[in-house]
Amino acid sequence: MLKKHQKKTGTSSYSSFFNCIEKNFDKATKFISIEKGLLEQIKACNAVYRVHFPIKLGKEIKVIESYRVQHSHHKLPCKGGIRYSTKVNQDEIMTLAALMTYKCAIVDVPFGGAKGGIKIDPQTISIEEIEKITRRYTSELIKKNFIGPGIDVPAPDYGTGEREMSWILDTFLSIKPEDVDALACVTGKPISQGGVRGRKEATGLGVFYGIRELCKMKKDMSSIGLNVGLVGKKIIIQGLGNVGYYAASFFYQAGAIIVALAEREGAIYNEKGLDVSEVILHLKNTGSILNFPKAKNIENTEKALELECDILIPAALENVINKNNADKIKAKIIGEAANGPITPEADEILEKKGVIIIPDIYLNAGGVTVSYFEWLKNLSHVRHGRMEKRFNENMNSELLQVMETTCKKKISPDDKKIILRGPREIDLVRSGLEDTMISGFHTIRDLKISLKIQNMRTAAFVLAINKIVDSYEKLGIFP
Ligand code: NAD
C-alpha cells in the first residue's frame, strides 16, 4: 500500500489509486457489522511480485519493469488481466487486482482477484519484441509459482489480447508439458488454442447488458428525466479498443445513437449518430478516427466527455473523470466500462448532480465471467454444448412430432428451425453472461433500496464484502 504522504496527482487529492478504492471500501463498511481485523485483511493485497528482467531490443539491452499482484486468496485460483502500458506501476496493478476480487465476488465467479502489468508501450515496439517480453515475463511468473490453472490465471486487459494469451500458454506448455490442465493457465485465448466462443466481446456485451437493465427500470429512468429503453438514447464512448468497440457495436445495433467516439488522438462527433462499423473501417484505412467524413473532429479528446448525451461510457483508462471535469459532465448515466475511470471527488460531485453511475466492479465483470466459462471448458476438456447439442435437437424433434400429431397442424419450416436447434457454445456462453449481468444488477439494486444506500457503487461494495466475509468465515482463519 502506498504511504499517505506520497505526492498527490493533479486530478485527485487522494494519495494513490489504491487509496481511492480504500475510500470506496470504507464507505461500504458503514453498512456492514464485521470485525475490523477481517475487513483490514480483505482490503490488503496478499502478494505483490515485482520483477525486472533484461531484454535485447535491437542492439540495446533494456530493463523491463513488470508486476503480478494477487490481491486475495480467499478463493483460488486468482484471476485478472495483464496490461501493457507505459503508465503501469505498483499502485495501479494493486488497485486493479483489488477491483478484481470485488468483481468476482459480485458475479459469483469463484476466484480471488489478481492483476499483472508490464511497463511498455506496445505501439512503439515490434511484434517480435512484444513476444519476447511476454514469454520472458511468463517464465518469470512460472519460476515464482505466480501462474497456473489452480494458482493464478491471467487474461487480456489494456494493451493485450488473444495473441499475447497464446504466447503465455505456449511458454507455460513448454515448461510444464506434463500438466494435463495447462490450457486453463490463461484465458482470453483464440478458439484454436482452447479459447471459448464469446470471450472477445464479453466485457463490451456485459457493459451493454448492465446499462440496458438500468434503462428498463421505470422509476430510475424517471428520476433522471429519461424514458425507458435504449432506442434513441444518446451515447458517448471513450476508447475504441476491445471493450469500447464491442460496447459501441451492441448499443448501435440496439437502436441507441452513438453521438461521439473518443480515442487518444482526438474525438469525433455527430449529433445524428455515428455508424460504428463505418468508423472502424475508416480507422483501419487511415489509422485514426479523426477526419471521418460524416463527423466533426474534436481535437482535445477529453472535451468529448463533456458533450451533451444521455449515457457516457468511459472505456479506456482510470481517473479520466475527476475534480477538474466532473462538474462539466452532462450525461445522466455513466457506465464504467474501464476500471476506475471516476475519482472519489468526481463521484461526489456527480452524485450531487443526480447522475446514476453503474460501477466498474459490476459493469465490466462480463470479461471475467466468460473467462470463468473458458477456464471450466479447459478443465473439463470438452467444448460447451458438445455433449448435449444433438441430444436436445433429437428430443425437440420428437416433441414437435407429438405436437403436430396431437394438434393435427403442421409447424412451418422456419419455426421448426428455431425450435429444433440445440445450444451451441456461443448460445450457452451468451445466455450465461446475460443471466449473470441481469441478476448482478438486480442484487445490487435491491440491496441499495433495502439498506437505503445512496449509490450503486457503495451497494456493490457491500455485496462484494459480504460475500468475501462469508467465504472467510466458512473457511476459518488458518492459525
Ligand atoms: P484496449 O487496449 O483494447 O483499448 C483501449 C483503447 O483506449 C485503445 O483503443 C486506446 O487507443 C484508447 N485510449 C487510450 N488512451 C485514451 C485516451 N486518453 N482517450 C481516449 N481513448 C484512449 O483495452 P481494453 O481491453 O478495451 O480495456 C479498456 C478498459 O477496460 C481498461 O480500463 C481495462 O482495465 C478495462 N477492462 C477490460 C477488460 C477486457 O476484457 N479487456 C475487462 C474488464 C475491464
Side-chain angles (χ1 to χ4, degrees):
M1 213 175 304
L2 292 192
K3 304 262 162 40
K4 295 260 186 306
H5 56 72
Q6 275 187 301
K7 209 170 132 250
K8 293 167 184 174
T9 68
T11 52
S12 172
S13 44
Y14 288 86
S15 54
S16 70
F17 190 18
F18 196 80
N19 193 223
C20 296
I21 302 304
E22 287 187 308
K23 162 94 180 167
N24 290 330
F25 185 102
D26 292 342
K27 274 190 192 166
T29 56
K30 292 182 191 125
F31 297 90
I32 303 168
S33 58
I34 294 156
E35 203 190 315
K36 201 166 161 262
L38 189 48
L39 289 174
E40 289 301 317
Q41 167 56 37
I42 295 171
K43 250 204 249 186
C45 265
N46 284 9
V48 178
Y49 180 42
R50 185 180 67 187
V51 57
H52 289 92
F53 53 82
I55 285 282
K56 210 159 178 197
L57 298 182
K59 286 188 180 145
E60 274 180 73
I61 293 176
K62 288 261 187 238
V63 179
I64 307 291
E65 180 181 334
S66 69
Y67 299 88
R68 185 73 188 168
V69 173
Q70 296 173 349
H71 172 259
S72 178
H73 296 132
H74 76 287
K75 291 209 190 275
L76 285 174
C78 295
K79 186 94 190 73
I82 296 179
R83 65 167 52 183
Y84 291 178
S85 154
T86 49
K87 292 194 179 135
V88 160
N89 60 64
Q90 184 173 326
D91 172 58
E92 179 191 59
I93 302 302
M94 282 168 60
T95 312
L96 296 170
L99 289 175
M100 282 304 296
T101 296
Y102 308 128
K103 204 176 294 185
C104 290
I106 287 170
V107 290
D108 282 330
V109 165
F111 297 143
K115 203 80 181 186
I118 307 184
K119 192 171 177 161
I120 50 167
D121 181 358
Q123 299 203 321
T124 59
I125 52 179
S126 69
I127 294 179
E128 291 72 26
E129 288 165 344
I130 301 175
E131 178 172 358
K132 256 199 228 175
I133 293 169
T134 306
R135 288 184 182 277
R136 177 65 192 259
Y137 172 72
T138 309
S139 55
E140 294 295 337
L141 296 185
I142 296 170
K143 265 198 249 170
K144 293 285 173 194
N145 222 8
F146 260 70
I147 183 170
I151 298 168
D152 189 344
V153 182
D157 192 69
Y158 186 89
T160 60
E162 286 187 345
R163 184 183 66 186
E164 286 74 15
M165 302 307 116
S166 280
W167 293 330
I168 292 173
L169 171 65
D170 188 53
T171 311
F172 189 87
L173 273 170
S174 66
I175 299 176
K176 301 201 172 232
E178 74 289 353
D179 188 343
V180 70
D181 290 327
L183 277 183
C185 79
V186 61
T187 60
K189 305 180 289 291
I191 308 290
S192 62
Q193 304 305 312
V196 75
R197 284 159 187 84
R199 170 62 183 91
K200 220 172 15 185
E201 67 272 30
T203 310
L205 183 56
V207 168
F208 170 78
Y209 286 144
I211 296 178
R212 185 189 66 181
E213 211 49 32
L214 171 69
C215 291
K216 281 184 189 165
M217 301 294 110
K218 206 168 171 209
K219 210 170 159 195
D220 304 45
M221 288 299 99
S222 57
S223 77
I224 50 175
L226 293 179
N227 294 327
V228 290
L230 284 175
V231 177
K233 291 243 163 23
K234 293 191 170 181
I235 300 189
I236 295 174
I237 298 182
Q238 183 195 42
L240 257 190
N242 173 282
V243 179
Y245 162 66
Y246 282 110
S249 303
F250 288 114
F251 281 108
Y252 179 76
Q253 284 160 29
I257 302 170
I258 312 293
V259 289
L261 292 168
E263 256 296 327
R264 296 168 200 259
E265 67 274 18
I268 52 172
Y269 176 75
N270 182 343
E271 198 190 7
K272 297 209 170 77
L274 299 159
D275 180 326
V276 178
S277 47
E278 281 183 12
V279 175
I280 292 298
L281 197 65
H282 172 78
L283 174 64
K284 279 191 184 141
N285 291 338
T286 67
S288 166
I289 58 166
L290 291 178
N291 303 319
F292 179 63
K294 297 180 194 165
K296 211 169 77 184
N297 282 347
I298 296 169
E299 304 228 326
N300 182 354
T301 189
E302 287 169 17
K303 286 286 163 203
L305 303 177
E306 299 167 16
L307 295 167
E308 202 73 53
C309 70
D310 299 314
I311 305 173
L312 172 62
I313 304 177
L317 283 169
E318 51 264 21
N319 295 342
V320 292
I321 302 173
N322 48 60
K323 62 180 180 194
N324 301 333
N325 64 357
D327 220 15
K328 299 177 201 139
I329 302 287
K330 299 187 185 66
K332 300 194 171 86
I333 298 169
I334 302 180
E336 291 188 320
N339 282 308
I342 304 179
T343 64
E345 297 99 332
D347 227 9
E348 280 169 22
I349 298 170
L350 293 164
E351 196 177 315
K352 278 189 199 131
K353 284 171 60 157
V355 178
I356 300 181
I357 297 169
I358 315 186
D360 49 4
I361 52 168
Y362 154 70
L363 194 65
N364 68 30
V368 74
T369 303
V370 176
S371 273
Y372 172 46
F373 300 157
E374 181 176 333
W375 183 76
L376 291 174
K377 172 185 184 175
N378 296 151
L379 292 181
S380 59
H381 300 264
V382 63
R383 185 183 73 234
H384 295 298
R386 179 170 174 180
M387 305 292 279
E388 58 270 44
K389 185 171 184 292
R390 189 68 56 184
F391 176 79
N392 282 350
E393 285 175 0
N394 292 341
M395 284 296 288
N396 292 346
S397 170
E398 281 175 31
L399 211 70
L400 269 184
Q401 275 171 24
V402 173
M403 276 166 67
E404 284 184 332
T405 335
T406 318
C407 305
K408 296 191 177 58
K409 206 177 162 200
K410 284 271 170 218
I411 291 166
S412 77
D414 281 352
D415 286 345
K416 260 190 188 165
K417 221 165 137 187
I418 296 169
I419 300 165
L420 283 180
R421 192 166 62 92
R424 299 166 302 165
E425 184 171 75
I426 186 75
D427 303 320
L428 294 168
V429 165
R430 291 233 171 134
S431 82
L433 173 62
E434 186 173 9
D435 184 59
T436 302
M437 294 310 293
I438 292 176
S439 55
F441 176 86
H442 288 287
T443 315
I444 296 169
R445 188 173 179 271
D446 291 350
L447 196 67
K448 176 178 173 293
I449 295 169
S450 68
L451 295 184
K452 297 191 173 59
I453 301 174
Q454 286 293 317
N455 56 64
M456 278 191 81
R457 189 187 313 283
T458 305
F461 266 94
V462 172
L463 177 65
I465 296 167
N466 276 334
K467 287 191 183 178
I468 301 164
V469 165
D470 183 61
S471 182
Y472 268 111
E473 284 178 348
K474 302 259 158 65
L475 276 175
I477 305 278
F478 194 71

